[in-house]
Every structure is written in C-alpha cells, then in structure tokens.
Amino acid sequence: MSVASYNQISINNSALQHNYCLLKSRVGEDVRILAMVKADAYGHGMIEAASAFYEAGCRDFGVAEIDEGVRLRNSGMQGNIYIFLGFIASEVSLFFDYELVPVLYDIASAKVLSDEAIKRDTRISVHVKIDCGMTRLGVFPEAFDDFLSELKENPGIKLAGLASHFPKADEWESSQTLEQFKAFESVLASQEFGFQSIKHTANSGGILYFPQTHCDMVRAGIALYGYYPDGVSGREIERGDLLQPAMEFTTQVIQVKTVPAGVGVSYGHTYITETETTIAVLPVGYEDGLSRSLSNRGYVLIHGKRAKIIGRICMNLCMVDVSRMDNVKIGDRVTILGTQKDDGISGDEIAAWMGSISYEVLCLFGNNNERKCI
Ligand SMILES: *Cc1c(COP(=O)(O)O)cnc(C)c1O
C-alpha cells in the first residue's frame, strides 16, 4: 500500500538526460562518461537515474559499496558497474555473480579477488586508484611500482583501468589539478601496460574546467544532476548551454495562525515576533532533510514569494512567516527546492544558508522523502 505524503520530491528525467548529453558534447565522442550514481544518485534515485542515463547512451556506472552495485544489477541494468569503496573479503563472490568491477586501492583485496577468480577458472578485470594528492583512497605514485609487481603475482587479476581523483578540480584558477594530472601521467609513462588500460581522472570539475584531464573516461556526478561543482559561480561563468537541476521539493501548508508581537515561535523561542505575524506551519523538518541549521535562516516559496523560516526547525515541522502574503491557507503549495512563478530556490542557495554544498542538500532532500519521476 502506498500512502501519499505531504512532502514530494520530483525528479525531472529529461533534465537528467539533458545534462548527460550536454556533458557528452563537452567531452566528445571518444570519451566515455561514467555516471556516478552513488548515494542513490545524489538523492535522485539510483535505479531511475541510471536508467535515464542508460537511455541517453551511458554504459558505465559508479557506486560506493557492493550492495548498491548488486541492487543496480538486480534492477536489470546492463553495462559496467564500478565499486569504488572496496569490499569486505567475505563478499568477494558478488563481484563475479553480479559482474561488478572493483576499483582497487590495496594489494590485499587484489589477492582475495585473484584467489576467487582462480577458483572459478576465470580472471577479473579491475581498476586501480592512484592517490596523486587527494589523500583519500589509492596507491601513492611512489609505491606504484611495488604495487604493480605484487599485482602481477596474482594471475586471476586483469588490470583494465587506472584512476585518480582531484581534490580541487572545481577551482578552475588553481594550477593544482594539472600538476596532479602530470603526476598521474608520469606514473603511467613508466609502465608498459599504460596504453592497454582505460584511464580516468576527471570529476565534474575536471570535465567542465580541465579538458586536458578527460583521458578515456570521465566520472560525472553533480553535473549530471544539474549543479556546478563550484556552485553559483560556476553557473554564472558558463557561456554555453546550462545544466538543468533535476530535483524539486514541494510540500503544503498544514496550519495558518496569526499571533501578536512578542510571541515566541518553536522550541527555545529563538524567534520572537516583532509585530503581528501570520505564520504558516509546514510538515517538513530535519527528519525530511531540512537541516536544523536552516532555523531562522532559510526561505521557502509560497504564492511565488519568499517566506522566511522562523524559529527552530523541528523533527517533522517548521514555521514560516507569511505576513506579507495574501490569504495563505491550508493546502497551499510550498516549494522548498525549485521554482514558483518568477522566483526559484536552488540547491546552491540552500547550501549557502547551511554552510554546505549542493551535493549535501540533494542527498538530504532526495534520500529522506518520497520521490516521483516526471
Ligand atoms: C563522487 C565521485 C565523483 C563525482 O564527483 P562530482 O564532483 O560529483 O562530479 C568522481 N569520482 C569519484 C571517485 C567520486 O567518489
């Protein structure tokens, strides 16, 4: 049984496909796009989003953990599914049963995979992550020679790809990305296998701002969902076609009340009315992804106008000031993320109020509310 919620996330599939095609036109025919669909496709729904990208031509998909890859494969998804966060040794058989591609960052997991491959009388294709300055997962360039000789002692492994990840590709003025890319290239140059395996380094920032780093494949995340990795400034400097945000978050007013000056609102009375104030109560709280840090800071749209969040955001409720609006009533549509009439509130704007980035806003909203595709 499905019961409707007041709160509704809608995902615009044609915006997702527009973004895929726009990025494809930027990287060119010869460069594959790996769609990062981790975190339930940044809140957009992993299976639905991956299907939209597949329809637009995508054949490579990235997730964090094996269970996501298994779910995606079980949905009937074809193409390559890459697991970026390694695995627990006891789960190794899933790579074979579900044809998943591990992205390796240590030799111990290579051994586990190789042994399983030999047991099954096969070989498994793996990609290897090189840490050229992210200081996260990956083998350091100076340790790579040793890593490789050890890898060669594992006959069940076939090295199919080499990857690296940039920490600052969203900063187009920074020279660091190209320096790190050089480090990646020099690791490759010293190896005879270099030309046989697929190379990939670029995230959305790399795709948009560092075309030199595109290699054979790029890993697109936030841009596929319609946002620039550097936020509003990225959108402003764009001179070509714009990425289109695909997510909207709407709810409705569930009570309206007018109180005199001097009345405290919500837990802790952190907001005291200055004059007579009309308040709309909304069934959205931090449990629905509306961060408590937006208390007394954020806005929503009602009747095409901005209403400020007043008082603390509760678990399932928040209050907004609708004093300057005519006749707000129960059931009126409220837009938390998206557009109404001539105004719009973007993930970048909400992120700025929270001191965060659009990525987090999309995950919070999308992964905590009922979604529908439009
Ligand atoms: C999430 C992720 C990406 C995508 O990053 P965006 O900035 O969202 O484009 C690319 N590569 C790796 C390894 C990632 O974890």
Side-chain angles (χ1 to χ4, degrees), residues 17-42:
Q17 293 181 334
H18 163 88
N19 297 331
Y20 178 84
C21 295
L22 185 57
L23 295 182
K24 187 69 189 146
S25 74
R26 297 281 281 259
V27 299
E29 268 313 300
D30 297 337
V31 178
R32 280 149 63 174
I33 294 180
L34 183 162
M36 271 296 181
V37 293
K38 64 191 181 196
D40 228 344
Y42 295 40

Side-chain angles (χ1 to χ4, degrees), residues 36 38 42 84 129 136 165 203-204 219-222 229 359:
M36 271 296 181
K38 64 191 181 196
Y42 295 40
F84 278 84
K129 189 87 155 290
R136 203 171 73 173
H165 191 48
N203 53 4
S204 295
R219 301 185 306 267
I222 197 70
Y359 299 64

Side-chain angles (χ1 to χ4, degrees), residues 129-142 163-165:
K129 189 87 155 290
I130 304 175
D131 186 348
C132 297
M134 177 69 179
T135 321
R136 203 171 73 173
L137 291 178
V139 179
F140 286 126
E142 56 274 23
S164 193
H165 191 48

Side-chain angles (χ1 to χ4, degrees), residues 86-129:
F87 60 98
I88 298 167
S90 57
E91 306 293 348
V92 67
S93 62
L94 297 173
F95 284 102
F96 299 83
D97 296 343
Y98 293 88
E99 282 184 70
L100 307 173
V101 184
V103 180
L104 299 186
Y105 49 82
D106 68 4
I107 204 71
S109 47
K111 290 201 167 94
V112 174
L113 282 160
S114 180
D115 291 349
E116 179 71 16
I118 292 163
K119 213 164 72 186
R120 293 173 180 245
D121 200 18
T122 182
R123 294 175 82 202
I124 184 163
S125 288
V126 306
H127 288 216
V128 171
K129 189 87 155 290

Side-chain angles (χ1 to χ4, degrees), residues 39 48 59 68 88 133 143 153 168 184-185 188 191 208 211 241 258 260 262 266 269 283 287 297 307 345:
E48 296 81 354
R59 295 294 179 268
E68 301 170 78
I88 298 167
E153 291 162 19
K168 285 196 184 180
F184 179 71
E185 280 187 312
L188 304 189
Q191 308 296 339
L208 295 170
D241 261 0
T258 299
S266 192
H269 281 185
E287 193 256 344
R297 292 178 74 89
I345 294 177

Side-chain angles (χ1 to χ4, degrees), residues 128 130 139-152 159 161-162 183-197 199:
V128 171
I130 304 175
V139 179
F140 286 126
E142 56 274 23
F144 192 67
D145 274 353
D146 289 347
F147 180 86
L148 205 63
S149 9
E150 287 191 68
L151 197 66
K152 282 178 184 156
L159 184 57
L162 289 163
F184 179 71
E185 280 187 312
S186 58
V187 171
L188 304 189
S190 66
Q191 308 296 339
E192 89 278 6
F193 61 83
F195 50 87
Q196 301 166 4
S197 42
K199 283 148 224 106

Side-chain angles (χ1 to χ4, degrees), residues 314-331:
C314 309
M315 192 176 283
N316 290 103
L317 293 162
C318 69
M319 275 57 78
V320 297
D321 183 349
V322 294
S323 306
R324 291 175 308 133
M325 294 174 192
D326 294 332
N327 196 25
V328 171
K329 30 180 214 318
I330 293 171

